[in-house]
Amino acid sequence: MRQLMMRRRGSQTATPGTGDDAHRRRRLPTSGAALTVSIVALVVAMGGSAYAGITLGKNSVGTKQLQKGAVTNGKIAKGAVGLGKLKTGLVVPNALHADTADSATNATNATNATNATNATNATTATSATSATSATTATTAANGFVSFGTFNGPVGTIPVSSGFVFAGPTTTLTTTAGQTIMASSEAPLGTLATTATVEVSICKSPATGTPALTLLDTLTPDGYSISVATTTRIPFAAAAAGAPGAGTWKIGECVNNTSTTQAVNNTDYVSGYAYVTTGSPVPGSSAVKPGSATPGHGS
């Protein structure tokens, strides 16, 4: 500014020049800062154009040129990386795109999947081979062998009858050492006075001489004693015995000890019997519930 004022004062007294001197006097001075900015802008523009013109050669960028973390998930195309490109032993989260992922519940356990091929041969499956023996109980201790039932009308039991079957029986076959267990009930009564009766379970050979004996041979006098009256009531019996090898008729039996009154007010007997491999227990004969006279030998 000071130079400009001096020049203006000089122009009032000096004679205008000609040529280069006159041209230099007419040009305005340029700021140094503005000139610097202009030069920098020019260099940047030229440098950018030159950089834009550079083309990277194929395979010129390698592992060394990539910074750590430079390749992110967003930079990888969907499906671009397959299982063949993954490092051996690498655990892939959620087993994405795993060929067998739909059959694996947990990819981290996929290494054990080869063991699944043997699943049909369970370690305990060999014990199932013995299941065929369960189809029959003959091999089981105290096992059930056979079963039978009996039911039907009792009929009249005469005076001084001795033991006779009170109605129908069932037939069972046993081998030596097998046991027959039976239980039944038969409604008994009289039409006039009372009659003393003995009640139990009896057996008789199915063939040959039909001798009737008590099933329970281990208990002396294994029967119950009661009184049949004009009020008909059920007389129950139960027993167990090992009759030996043979085929037997099994049923409830009654001995009418009265010498004057028949047991002639009766109904249907109902019972069952079965064969087992167990041993009978002494004292297995039952006493009739509600019996007027205590059971004898029970």
Side-chain angles (χ1 to χ4, degrees):
M1 180 61 71
R2 186 167 49 191
Q3 292 177 356
L4 181 59
M5 292 176 63
M6 291 175 63
R7 289 177 181 176
R8 286 183 179 176
R9 286 195 296 269
S11 65
Q12 295 177 0
T13 58
T15 302
T18 60
D20 292 335
D21 292 335
H23 176 73
R24 282 192 295 270
R25 287 193 295 270
R26 288 193 300 270
R27 187 176 58 187
L28 294 174
T30 303
S31 171
L35 178 60
T36 301
V37 172
S38 299
I39 293 172
V40 172
L42 177 60
V43 171
V44 171
M46 293 179 67
S49 298
Y51 179 79
I54 297 175
T55 303
L56 296 177
K58 185 177 181 181
N59 298 326
S60 62
V61 178
T63 304
K64 294 182 179 181
Q65 283 73 31
L66 293 176
Q67 296 181 358
K68 185 177 181 181
V71 181
T72 61
N73 289 337
K75 299 298 184 180
I76 301 175
K78 184 177 182 180
V81 180
L83 289 178
K85 298 298 183 180
L86 297 178
K87 182 179 179 180
T88 302
L90 180 64
V91 178
V92 183
N94 300 325
L96 294 177
H97 307 293
D99 294 338
T100 58
D102 54 350
S103 62
T105 55
N106 189 340
T108 58
N109 294 330
T111 56
N112 298 324
T114 55
N115 296 331
T117 58
N118 297 323
T120 56
N121 299 324
T123 55
T124 58
T126 55
S127 62
T129 57
S130 61
T132 55
S133 63
T135 56
T136 175
T138 55
T139 59
N142 301 321
F144 173 85
V145 178
S146 59
F147 180 81
T149 62
F150 50 93
N151 60 79
V154 173
T156 298
I157 300 174
V159 297
S160 304
S161 63
F163 276 106
V164 295
F165 284 121
T169 61
T170 188
T171 301
L172 296 174
T173 299
T174 58
T175 61
Q178 290 182 333
T179 297
I180 295 178
M181 304 183 71
S183 179
S184 66
E185 65 86 18
L188 304 175
T190 64
L191 295 177
T193 60
T194 62
T196 301
V197 294
E198 299 171 350
V199 180
S200 188
I201 300 291
C202 289
K203 66 180 185 299
S204 175
T207 59
T209 303
L212 196 70
T213 58
L214 299 178
L215 176 63
D216 183 0
T217 59
L218 299 179
T219 303
D221 299 330
Y223 54 85
S224 61
I225 300 176
S226 189
V227 176
T229 68
T230 55
T231 301
R232 187 175 60 198
I233 58 175
F235 287 70
T247 300
W248 312 92
K249 291 181 179 180
I250 304 296
E252 184 167 344
C253 55
V254 176
N255 176 20
N256 181 9
T257 61
S258 174
T259 58
T260 59
Q261 179 60 52
V263 178
N264 50 10
N265 184 13
T266 62
D267 202 355
Y268 273 55
V269 65
S270 179
Y272 64 87
Y274 57 92
V275 177
T276 75
T277 57
S279 298
V281 178
S284 57
S285 297
V287 179
K288 181 188 76 63
S291 171
T293 303
H296 171 70
S298 60

